[in-house]
Amino acid sequence: MSTPTVVDLPISFHLPKLANLLPMTFHPETDRLMRESRWWAHRHLGFAYAGDAARIDKNVDGTLLVSLSVPHADYELALTTAKVMNYLIGIENSLVDKAGLGGSSFATRNVFGRFMSDLLGWGDGSTPLREDFSWLRERMPPARWIRFVSYMEDFAHGFTTELESWRDAGISDYDTYMDDRRHSLGVRWLFGFAEEGVPGVALSQEAFRTAEMVAIHDTAIDGYTLINDLVSYRKELVMDDRVNLVYYLGEAEGLDLEGAMNKICGLIDATERKFLDLRDRIMTGPHGGEPGMRAYLDEVGHVMTSNLWWATVSKRYEPGGLGWDGSTAGTMTFHRDRAVFVPDPQPGR
């Protein structure tokens, strides 16, 4: 069955209640983070939005995603994380312009090359993050810094590879897509901030090399990916962006929109259960007693689910935020310019 097109809108379908097994919390200084991020974005990110102040204001709520991802980080680290997030969102938004940055893979790689050079202290300061990166290098222990750089390198390579190699071709199969998104979606680098931000974490390199630790990080990104494809689908439908599992499930498995959305919800629940199982196995394994292990894994869980809660408060996907957070079942209606959610009637009401 073919998936909907813009001409099919408005279209309604039923969404189930999610298990929502992992907790949600905002950083305690979210309001302050938003104020300082907005000031910083207006000063440094005009290049990404053609100097349009309204577009900068709309996109600076990437800070809210950071607030939900690393809620236990100290303020200065959370602010640095927000700067990195908002810079990368600015670059991503610039790629929509095929007459500009989005029209050249060479230019895009150059942008990420300068980003990585500034991260390592070998750049010319062409990004507004050079001083922040210098501060991070001084702050992080060497092994943690090397890990963080590898996360950033993985994202830079995965993101540019997606643009060059498979985005236009679309999704070939589920497993390949999920594996590719582990590298191209801007999630893994948040684990470096989570490790640095949670007080008392002192994990060994051996712990990070275990099969269970590798799996739990990949599982967290899988959960984030599934949530992303669900909450972003209406916007991407209007933009004719087909890198989304909803399209694949319609074309490869013959599911209608409701069937595809409900299957993704089931996959989100299953991925959360897998995350919790891996967390339990790590905690009862040989490295479970290392300082801060449980607190770190809990923060990774916040990264995993952050996009769901962010979608409800961000203007990135819906003008007033998505009206569904998985806490109740109901009917979602997609219009060209908005999504409207109506909860199912509750028994006895």
Side-chain angles (χ1 to χ4, degrees):
M1 181 176 293
S2 62
T3 50
T5 64
V6 175
V7 299
D8 297 315
L9 301 178
I11 186 170
S12 297
F13 57 96
H14 191 264
L15 280 172
K17 180 180 179 179
L18 292 177
N20 282 348
L21 301 173
L22 294 169
M24 181 273 282
T25 188
F26 283 95
H27 192 281
E29 295 191 81
T30 296
D31 290 343
R32 183 184 170 197
L33 285 169
M34 282 297 297
R35 288 194 302 271
E36 293 205 38
S37 294
R38 184 173 290 109
W39 176 88
W40 182 86
H42 278 279
R43 184 179 182 186
H44 294 291
L45 299 184
F47 73 93
Y49 302 102
D52 188 330
R55 289 180 63 203
I56 295 173
D57 282 336
K58 177 182 177 181
N59 286 281
V60 79
D61 67 6
T63 297
L64 296 175
L65 180 59
V66 167
S67 172
L68 290 157
S69 298
V70 288
H72 299 101
D74 60 84
Y75 180 80
E76 292 301 325
L77 186 70
L79 181 60
T80 299
T81 314
K83 291 177 183 179
V84 174
M85 177 67 76
N86 286 310
Y87 178 81
L88 292 174
I89 287 175
I91 297 303
E92 182 181 5
N93 288 340
S94 299
L95 294 170
V96 175
D97 181 9
K98 296 301 182 182
L101 183 61
S104 171
S105 61
F106 292 102
T108 302
R109 283 195 174 271
N110 184 48
V111 167
F112 277 97
R114 286 182 290 161
F115 175 84
M116 291 303 299
S117 293
D118 275 358
L119 176 68
L120 296 170
W122 285 85
D124 57 6
S126 58
T127 76
L129 296 165
R130 187 178 186 183
E131 291 184 4
D132 298 282
F133 288 152
S134 177
W135 175 75
L136 278 176
R137 283 197 307 275
E138 293 297 321
R139 171 176 168 145
M140 287 186 178
R144 186 176 296 173
W145 173 252
I146 291 170
R147 221 170 2 256
F148 176 67
V149 170
S150 73
Y151 295 157
M152 282 294 193
E153 180 78 6
D154 178 80
F155 167 61
H157 180 265
F159 187 82
T160 51
T161 300
E162 174 183 323
L163 292 174
E164 295 173 3
S165 301
W166 61 269
R167 169 165 280 276
D168 289 340
I171 302 171
S172 59
D173 64 85
Y174 177 82
D175 290 337
T176 299
Y177 173 70
M178 295 300 287
D179 184 67
D180 285 341
R181 291 297 261 172
R182 288 174 180 175
H183 309 287
S184 69
L185 205 58
V187 181
R188 194 176 298 275
W189 60 267
L190 283 167
F191 300 148
F193 283 110
E195 184 186 356
E196 178 66 17
V198 178
V201 173
L203 305 179
S204 66
Q205 295 189 66
E206 290 73 21
F208 279 96
R209 295 187 182 118
T210 64
E212 290 80 10
M213 280 287 273
V214 172
I216 201 169
H217 289 91
D218 285 346
T219 299
I221 301 175
D222 291 347
Y224 189 104
T225 298
L226 293 165
I227 292 168
N228 179 79
D229 283 14
L230 191 154
V231 302
S232 67
Y233 175 72
R234 185 206 62 82
K235 178 181 177 182
E236 292 172 355
L237 172 63
V238 174
M239 295 171 59
D240 195 31
D241 181 350
R242 300 180 65 83
V243 181
N244 189 298
L245 274 176
V246 176
Y247 287 106
Y248 172 77
L249 293 172
E251 294 167 358
E253 300 188 14
L255 299 179
D256 61 11
L257 181 58
E258 182 170 307
M261 288 290 192
N262 278 259
K263 178 158 187 175
I264 291 174
C265 288
L267 290 168
I268 291 170
D269 287 347
T271 304
E272 280 197 341
R273 288 191 290 270
K274 181 179 178 180
F275 179 91
L276 292 174
D277 177 66
L278 285 164
R279 189 184 68 184
D280 290 344
R281 285 160 56 188
I282 291 169
M283 291 308 301
T284 57
H287 299 283
E290 292 191 9
M293 176 63 84
R294 176 56 190 264
Y296 169 69
L297 295 178
D298 287 347
E299 203 81 344
V300 171
H302 284 298
V303 172
M304 176 179 177
T305 60
S306 58
N307 205 17
L308 174 63
W309 312 113
W310 185 48
T312 68
V313 296
S314 171
K315 297 177 182 179
R316 181 169 179 82
Y317 304 122
E318 300 300 335
L322 189 68
W324 177 82
D325 63 4
S327 61
T328 185
T331 299
M332 182 72 78
T333 300
F334 284 160
H335 301 266
R336 284 175 178 261
D337 60 346
R338 69 195 186 281
V340 177
F341 178 72
V342 178
D344 288 343
Q346 298 300 306
R349 295 185 180 179

